[in-house]
Amino acid sequence: MSLPTMETLAGGRWIGGGDWIDVFDPADVREPYLRVPALTAGQVTAIYAGAEAGFAVWRAMPAITRSAILAKASALLRIRNAEIAGAIVRENGKSPAEARVEAEKAADFFEYYAGVGRQEYGSLIHDVRPDTRTGYQREPLGVVLAVTPWNDPLITPARKLAPALAAGNAVVLKPASETPTSALHLARALHDAGVPAGVVNVVTGRTAEISDALLNDPRIAAVSFTGGNEVGEALRVRLAARGVRFQSELGGKNASVVLAGANLPKAAAAVVAAAFGQAGQRCTATSRLLVDRAVHDGFLPLLLAEVRKLRLGPLVSRAQQRSVVAHIDLAVKQGAVVELGGGEVPGPGCHVEPTVLTGVTADMDVWREEVFGPVLAVRVVDGLDEAITAVNDTRYGLAAAVFTDSLAAAHRFLAEVDCGQIAVNTTTSGWDVHQPFGGFRDSGSPFKEQGPEAMRFYTKVKTFAIHFGS
């Protein structure tokens, strides 16, 4: 029996392929359930030609008209929430509740940037010359390539496409091959909302076969990438030689700190939500936990009790499942103690038990390297000074949280922890669409995503002076 297929959007048309990529449900990976086109290098090059033509039309369109189209796309995403959430569950393994929130947040992005697209796009500047009006204006870059991962298959494309389109750019989107259908639903909403041909395109294909065509096209003005550090660094170097603007959101090794005086039950619930939501497959997930020695013995049982309540969905693939289990096994070999969980769940799905490790030291791989799964490593610290030092002792700088009843400790943590996102008495995840998002150091580039800051990446500044005297 032939599998169902989904076509991809290229140059304003929905196209199939001579070859297809299988898509699997991580809850049961014995057989694929769907296929998407495996585009060729030649088709990718044609997509860039269409995107260039689409950009000329889109940038000339009044910003108010563009905003109306984005607002309509937002409305369509809300109307289709149940269908799109079902696709996220099927291809990614998120719970239905997590998937519905993701679909709603994607709509939020287009609603927000539809508003941003109606706001001022420049400013006037004083000039010493008489009879001269000087200022600057922001303009779109051109064709933007967006490369997105499998862990947030709808939110991450929305986070990139909404500001890129609001600024007047055309976009070529390359979603992860494990989770392409969410991106196709997003493209369908934008297409149905009236985005002109070539402005939004989705490349589904095998990276090894199309990477040169995808990355080397001279029409690329900017690349926004979310994914692993190794690939991100290779892209940064590759694109720098051509002067292509590059934005990256990379890995994290996020820490939460529980200090003496914190509300321990609330801290335990928040840490577990941050560590194990989406089965730990979030860049902002808490994977390191530092507990003040004064409250450690009282806190750990509360933490374990919260973890025992969990029923996690699958990881995205067998490969990811094997990777997470290998991290746990290595941690045990290096001396960590499994307090809870510790292995894969047998069956047709890609499940790993929620795992809590104690006896972890700073030199263990599980404390240093991103696991990207339901694994929480716990260490004891003595007070705030030692906690801040331990939080910063990493090459990453994405997110950190502190749980405390001390306003002074909260302000010191905010001032001294070198991360792009700081939380006090709440989880390391959960940033909203209008709040700038991004990390420091090896967690990403200086360009922030979300909020008004995102428009800085997707625009260039043109300064002008007009002499109106005789």
Side-chain angles (χ1 to χ4, degrees):
M1 183 176 68
S2 61
L3 290 175
T5 60
M6 283 187 75
E7 294 181 323
T8 193
L9 182 62
R13 297 186 301 113
W14 293 94
I15 63 172
D19 191 13
W20 299 86
I21 295 174
D22 291 337
V23 182
F24 291 85
D25 181 343
D28 187 345
V29 294
R30 289 174 294 185
E31 298 288 342
Y33 74 93
L34 186 75
R35 287 179 175 149
V36 297
L39 299 186
T40 66
Q43 287 175 304
V44 173
T45 299
I47 282 174
Y48 278 115
E52 184 179 43
F55 168 63
V57 174
W58 187 241
R59 74 169 300 177
M61 188 178 288
I64 306 302
T65 306
R66 294 199 301 258
S67 289
I69 292 173
L70 297 187
K72 186 176 180 180
S74 173
L76 290 173
L77 290 171
R78 295 191 200 285
I79 292 168
R80 300 170 184 176
N81 181 286
E83 178 187 5
I84 297 171
I88 295 169
V89 171
R90 195 75 190 273
E91 70 177 358
N92 175 272
K94 292 187 180 184
S95 71
E98 289 171 334
R100 287 192 295 270
V101 170
E102 179 163 357
E104 186 68 21
K105 285 292 185 184
D108 286 349
F109 273 109
F110 287 94
E111 181 179 71
Y112 172 78
Y113 282 104
V116 170
R118 301 174 69 96
Q119 294 178 354
E120 67 275 5
Y121 61 99
S123 182
L124 294 177
I125 307 170
H126 291 293
D127 197 298
V128 70
R129 296 166 291 188
D131 300 327
T132 301
R133 181 65 54 85
T134 303
Y136 71 87
Q137 62 191 39
R138 291 192 172 273
E139 297 183 351
L141 301 176
V143 178
V144 175
L145 170 63
V147 182
T148 59
W150 46 257
N151 65 310
D152 285 320
L154 185 66
I155 281 184
T156 306
R159 179 184 289 132
K160 298 179 187 301
L161 265 65
L165 294 172
N169 300 287
V171 181
V172 176
L173 170 62
K174 173 60 176 74
S177 294
E178 295 91 342
T179 56
T181 70
S182 300
L184 295 174
H185 280 288
L186 176 58
R188 173 68 68 183
L190 287 162
H191 176 77
D192 292 349
V195 170
V199 174
V200 174
N201 311 270
V202 183
V203 173
T204 56
R206 298 181 180 90
T207 303
E209 298 173 4
I210 61 172
S211 61
D212 285 346
L214 192 66
L215 296 170
N216 291 346
D217 197 285
R219 288 164 288 213
I220 299 172
V223 175
S224 181
F225 170 81
T226 298
N229 283 72
E230 184 176 351
V231 175
E233 177 60 17
L235 282 176
R236 185 188 67 79
V237 173
R238 181 172 183 166
L239 297 168
R242 290 158 44 204
V244 174
R245 189 177 294 193
F246 183 59
Q247 177 187 60
S248 62
E249 199 275 287
L250 306 174
K253 196 63 184 173
N254 312 301
S256 288
V257 175
V258 179
L259 295 175
N263 183 316
L264 298 187
K266 288 186 178 181
V271 168
V272 169
F276 297 103
Q278 295 178 207
Q281 297 174 117
R282 280 192 297 215
C283 60
T284 55
T286 290
S287 60
R288 297 186 296 154
L289 178 61
L290 298 149
V291 185
D292 198 321
R293 190 179 305 276
V295 295
H296 174 269
D297 291 349
F299 179 76
L300 188 60
L302 297 174
L303 178 78
L304 296 177
E306 290 291 332
V307 177
R308 289 189 181 98
K309 298 176 186 177
L310 297 175
R311 183 181 176 186
L312 297 187
L315 301 184
V316 74
S317 65
R318 283 285 188 225
Q320 186 64 14
Q321 181 190 39
R322 288 192 293 268
S323 172
V324 172
V325 172
H327 277 288
I328 297 170
D329 291 344
L330 178 59
V332 172
K333 288 180 182 177
Q334 293 178 340
V337 176
V338 176
E339 294 286 344
L340 201 63
E344 65 180 66
V345 179
C350 306
H351 297 79
V352 172
E353 297 171 318
T355 300
V356 177
L357 301 172
T358 59
V360 177
T361 59
D363 59 344
M364 291 182 182
D365 288 63
V366 76
W367 191 257
R368 294 283 173 188
E369 302 302 322
E370 187 175 41
V371 176
F372 222 67
V375 180
L376 180 63
V378 183
R379 281 180 57 195
V380 179
V381 291
D382 290 300
L384 179 61
D385 290 344
E386 189 173 321
I388 290 174
T389 299
V391 170
N392 286 335
D393 185 21
T394 175
R395 66 191 179 104
Y396 298 108
L398 182 53
V402 63
F403 295 86
T404 179
D405 64 346
S406 167
L407 186 60
H411 278 290
R412 269 201 62 200
F413 194 87
L414 175 60
E416 297 179 23
V417 168
D418 193 21
C419 288
Q421 317 292 135
I422 300 294
V424 178
N425 293 332
T426 188
T427 65
T428 50
S429 55
W431 307 99
D432 211 343
V433 299
H434 60 286
Q435 298 165 342
F437 173 83
F440 300 159
R441 295 179 285 163
D442 283 3
S443 285
S445 66
F447 288 106
K448 288 272 190 176
E449 295 193 290
Q450 301 188 175
E453 282 293 312
M455 301 298 280
R456 295 180 182 274
F457 176 73
Y458 292 107
T459 57
K460 56 189 176 184
V461 173
K462 178 181 287 182
T463 305
F464 61 85
I466 304 171
H467 180 70
F468 53 86
S470 57

